[in-house]
Amino acid sequence: MPRLVRRRGRPGSGQGVAMSLPRLCLAMILALSGVAVVAICLGETPLTLAQYAQALAHPASPPGEVLWSIRAPRVLVAALVGAALGLSGATMQGLLRNPLADPGVLGVSAVSGLGAALAISMGLAVLPGAIELAALAGALVAGALVVVLAARFREPEALILFGVALSALGGALTALVFNLSPSPVATAEVMAWLMGSVQNRDALDALRALVPMTIGAILCARAGRGLRMLTLGEEVARMSGLPMARLRVQAVAGSALLTGAAVAAAGVIGFVGLAAPHLVRALVRDDPKRLLWPSALAGALLLVLADLAARVIPTEQELKLGVVTALFGAPAFALLAWRASRSWRS
């Protein structure tokens, strides 16, 4: 069992019992590994024990193709996307000092989805990587706008309001793409993309997402110390020598890269970035810096479980991943909002 330790006097650490960060991450890695193995073994096509043995002994055999060429890359992409969304959510919650923030709060997800929708409606889907590049470009454009606004407005509330407006604009323009789409096929492809899925993903999709995700993760990690100091209040943090402009650029740019890469790999998937930090927040005593990597692991675990549920729930057509996360995430968001409103009234 992981050892529980008490920590005292850390900025933003809160009260209560916390788990040491290495042990927490190790426990979550073990849990993620176990769930990943189950996700690779289970699927729409049932295999016998003999076929599992054949897949292990001969990866090029038909059962091996099912496990290692279809299911394993899908699980890998789901884990990467979940980790990116979880890390982005923890970074945004720390920067905005708002536990209800998530990667979509600044409009990055909506504009990234708009980029993918434009690429599909323009017939660019036939070009390798065109949709992914368009989604990533949309996220970077939204991130650049947010960075400019963050330098102009110091209040987190102003940044949130701008993000809501940008998200609404991205959604409206995406609806316009639907309305003006030249073909029902393109409309169906845009709809499928916006609903989110890791179906038919391969190792190349994982490699494409890995580069921007790595850069985004580095930027978020570099912002960790500043996020911890920010819990003392912006004025105190600034007087302590914290460069607020650089912190905002690092956090927003890192989150934009992570979110854009996630949308590029799997479409628009909501609520993971919101829920993942809350699963581990109490175990790190609400320390924004220590929250980052456990949130990434929690996001990966959540999305692998959600994708497994999408595959094994008996429906005529496989459920889209974004639908599954929304079905479970919306009630969770309502509960978090209700708890937050109680604390605001007190």
Side-chain angles (χ1 to χ4, degrees):
M1 290 291 293
R3 181 170 57 91
L4 296 180
V5 299
R6 293 188 177 274
R7 305 211 180 261
R8 301 176 182 271
R10 305 192 70 161
S13 59
Q15 301 295 326
V17 178
M19 184 182 291
S20 66
L21 187 60
R23 291 177 181 270
L24 174 59
C25 290
L26 178 60
M28 298 195 67
I29 289 172
L30 292 175
L32 177 60
S33 301
V35 171
V37 170
V38 173
I40 292 174
C41 292
L42 297 181
E44 184 178 354
T45 303
L47 299 178
T48 64
L49 290 178
Q51 287 175 318
Y52 284 122
Q54 183 183 6
L56 292 174
H58 305 285
S61 63
E65 288 289 326
V66 171
L67 289 186
W68 311 121
S69 298
I70 298 176
R71 293 182 187 172
R74 176 173 181 162
V75 171
L76 176 60
V77 172
L80 287 175
V81 170
L85 294 176
L87 178 56
S88 179
T91 303
M92 284 294 96
Q93 290 177 15
L95 177 67
L96 301 177
R97 288 168 287 168
N98 188 332
L100 299 181
D102 77 331
V105 74
L106 297 182
V108 176
S109 296
V111 180
S112 182
L114 171 62
L118 285 172
I120 294 172
S121 65
M122 294 171 62
L124 300 180
V126 296
L127 301 177
I131 300 176
E132 290 82 357
L133 288 176
L136 188 58
L140 292 177
V141 168
L145 288 173
V146 172
V147 167
V148 172
L149 267 293
R152 174 66 177 83
F153 301 106
R154 296 182 177 181
E155 297 80 6
E157 294 81 4
L159 200 58
I160 293 175
L161 290 175
F162 175 76
V164 171
L166 185 60
S167 181
L169 178 62
L173 291 176
T174 302
L176 182 62
V177 171
F178 274 113
N179 197 27
L180 300 179
S181 179
S183 119
V185 175
T187 302
E189 289 182 0
V190 172
M191 177 63 75
W193 186 271
L194 295 179
M195 293 173 71
S197 176
V198 291
Q199 191 175 12
N200 300 323
R201 299 305 189 267
D202 56 23
L204 183 58
D205 294 310
L207 289 175
R208 286 173 180 164
L210 196 56
V211 174
M213 285 182 181
T214 301
I215 298 173
I218 292 173
L219 289 173
C220 289
R222 291 177 64 87
R225 179 175 174 273
L227 297 178
R228 174 185 286 170
M229 293 179 64
L230 202 56
T231 59
L232 301 174
E234 187 170 328
E235 291 300 324
V236 175
R238 186 181 289 108
M239 292 175 60
S240 301
L242 177 65
M244 288 299 304
R246 187 174 68 183
L247 173 64
R248 290 193 184 98
V249 170
Q250 286 178 338
V252 173
S255 295
L257 280 169
L258 289 168
T259 305
V263 174
V268 180
I269 297 174
F271 296 105
V272 174
L274 170 71
H278 286 278
L279 292 178
V280 293
R281 189 180 302 276
L283 296 175
V284 299
R285 298 271 297 276
D286 207 14
D287 183 339
K289 182 179 180 180
R290 298 178 71 237
L291 183 64
L292 296 179
W293 301 119
S295 296
L297 292 170
L301 183 61
L302 279 177
L303 208 58
V304 172
L305 283 171
D307 182 54
L308 178 60
R311 283 190 284 138
V312 300
I313 292 177
T315 54
E316 185 175 345
Q317 290 185 346
E318 181 179 307
L319 293 177
K320 293 295 185 181
L321 187 54
V323 174
V324 176
T325 58
L327 287 174
F328 291 98
F333 181 82
L335 178 61
L336 291 172
W338 177 69
R339 288 180 175 177
S341 67
R342 292 181 63 190
S343 66
W344 294 334
R345 291 196 302 265
S346 61

